[in-house]
Amino acid sequence: MKRVFTFVFALTLIASASASQPEKVKPVKNIILMVTDGTSISAVSTARWLKVYRTGDATAPVTLNIDPWLCGYVRTCNSDAPIGDSAPTTSCYVTGHLSRAGYVSTYPPYKGKDNIEPVDSTRAYAPMASILEAGRQLQGKALGMVFTCQYPHATPADCSAHYYNRGAEQLIADQIVHNGFDVVIGGGNYYLTSESESYLRTNGTKVYRNDISGMRSDRSNKMWALYGDVDMDYDIDRNPEEQPSLAEMTKTAIGKLSKDKDGFFLLVEGSKVDWAAHANDPAALPNEFLAFDEACGVALDFAQRDGNTVVIVVADHGNSGFSLGRRDLGDYGHKSLETLFSQVNKFKRTADGMEMLINTQPFDSLRSLFKTYEGIDLTPDEFNLIVNCKDYKQSPIPVEMRKSDKTSPLYSSYLSGIITKILTKYTPFGWTTGGHTGEDVFLAVYNPNNQRPLGYTTNIQLAHYIQKLWGMNGKMDSFTDQIFARHKEVFAGFNMDIKKSEKENVWPVLTVTNPANGKSLTAKAFSNIIEVGGKQIQLPSVITYVDRNDMFYLPKDLNKYLK
Ligand SMILES: [Zn+2]
């Protein structure tokens, strides 16, 4: 009896644990993954109230483009910590495995009882294949990425590269160039070396640098369009004649990718919602999210017309402990929408944008710039902090004579820090940290077949849902083993030599020789090019290298060239 009871109880548990996940997921042609980086639900609610304030209709049932499709919460975390970092969080969505802070689609080392899910220690530091790589190599899908940070930054890197250190941006950048993307639009001109640019051009990809009209008139299917040296400007600081909106970038990418008869995967990242939260910038945060939501509108419109596209909108972690309501405001709980948002609505520049403005305009315009762009009449305290800040280039006070009042609650050692504090003072917003937070994030999914995760979903379950959309669930690890095998196993019995350069940004080269017939092969790390008998061959996947275990990871069948 007891055994029967236990069995039934266990069945009930399994049923209730998976109730939020759709049992059958019909495969679709296209997947659009939209990640709003570092976005707590309070930031979404605040952005929605700001939009309501602007449209003047609080009775409208739907105000954000994502609203009709919100369907649950997602846990986001690292493999060994509940508060997620951008590298492992989106890595999990596209690979199905948790990993450690800083790890870009790379398997974590074992960390004992701190592991949140079981970790296979033999896979430490190995690349984990992404659904994008599987889609392109197994099903001929086109791939695209759209974002506003630099392209080797964490989230786009998660979808296009593999390394245990997100800080190694040049290594990641070079790898992305060689990983078969059809459309890349975002920031990061600095990282695109002339060698990378010529590789792209030689392979039929159009490249536009800070060239919005070039991007707009391009009719090709393969295009890179980069804006800014590193990141693009925040949406409200953006000059629309120089930089496109995230919505336009999304529309451009979909226009090109949707020409592929096999389908496509597009990542769209609202990269700098996260940066706004890190900076505690009350002008940047809601406006940057609204710009992301506009891009969601573009993707959702396409998906609903297309009928064979799933759109997944999700954040990768919370950030800043942002709140609508702040302790020192006393009775803020009774204040009207007008009282809470009239000032917020006047912000026309982020703190970064304002810093740029006041640093390039004469000192006598300081007060009027704050009035015009932020709707603020600077108080003597605010004025004094700015003119005494070392970063303020137009100050009439010589740098060595500047003395900031460090006891002021608005004090910061840097100018944009002072500006964010001034702006925040005029809002009902609060912040508890300048770092990430560990609460669940929102999930919105549009699926033409209405098969969606509902309720609470772990990041791993969300990855499995995405895999099911392309019939890849349960097949990802064996695909990883196929394209990222260890060179010492692939070439066992052959002579192997790894050459490392002292020079910066010159990656290791592996040379393998078959002693039986003298045939040899060279493979350059973070590239998809090998050389066999003086001939270059382009592989469908990128070759990576990990210094920690002195290992190249490359296709399992590569030894066929030496036979
Ligand atoms: Zn993030």
Side-chain angles (χ1 to χ4, degrees), residues 37-38 85-86 89 155 274 316-317 436:
D37 204 300
D85 167 60
S86 296
T89 49
T155 305
D274 177 73
D316 60 345
H317 51 79
H436 294 180

Side-chain angles (χ1 to χ4, degrees), residues 239-305:
N239 177 348
E241 280 159 27
E242 290 175 0
Q243 295 192 356
S245 65
L246 190 65
E248 180 181 352
M249 291 151 68
T250 302
K251 192 168 185 189
T252 303
I254 291 173
K256 293 180 184 302
L257 296 168
S258 59
K259 290 183 202 159
D260 192 304
K261 61 175 179 16
D262 301 307
F264 68 84
F265 189 108
L266 172 63
L267 165 79
V268 178
E269 187 198 22
S271 317
K272 290 180 69 172
V273 183
D274 177 73
W275 298 26
H278 277 300
N280 287 188
D281 185 328
L285 185 61
N287 286 301
E288 202 64 11
F289 182 80
L290 289 176
F292 172 77
D293 185 63
E294 287 302 308
C296 293
V298 168
L300 287 161
D301 274 356
F302 168 80
Q304 287 173 86
R305 277 184 280 113

Side-chain angles (χ1 to χ4, degrees), residues 31 33 93 131 265 312 462-470:
I31 300 173
L33 174 63
Y93 297 152
I131 187 69
F265 189 108
I312 296 149
L462 183 60
H464 291 166
Y465 173 74
I466 293 171
Q467 290 163 14
K468 283 177 191 168
L469 292 170
W470 278 355

Side-chain angles (χ1 to χ4, degrees), residues 171-244:
L171 174 163
I172 289 169
D174 292 355
Q175 205 181 144
I176 294 170
V177 165
H178 289 273
N179 211 1
F181 277 76
D182 299 271
V183 180
V184 173
I185 312 174
N189 273 295
Y190 169 84
Y191 299 89
L192 191 71
T193 61
S194 52
E195 196 185 342
S196 288
E197 184 173 343
S198 86
Y199 171 81
L200 289 173
R201 289 187 189 279
T202 310
N203 283 278
T205 302
K206 291 283 184 353
V207 179
Y208 300 96
R209 293 178 181 262
N210 296 317
D211 182 2
I212 193 168
S213 55
M215 180 190 87
R216 283 177 177 159
S217 57
D218 184 88
R219 293 290 167 268
S220 68
N221 294 352
K222 290 173 75 172
M223 180 187 84
W224 276 55
L226 299 179
Y227 298 91
D229 282 344
V230 183
D231 52 315
M232 293 175 67
D233 292 334
Y234 282 116
D235 190 65
I236 55 171
D237 298 337
R238 178 175 63 87
N239 177 348
E241 280 159 27
E242 290 175 0
Q243 295 192 356

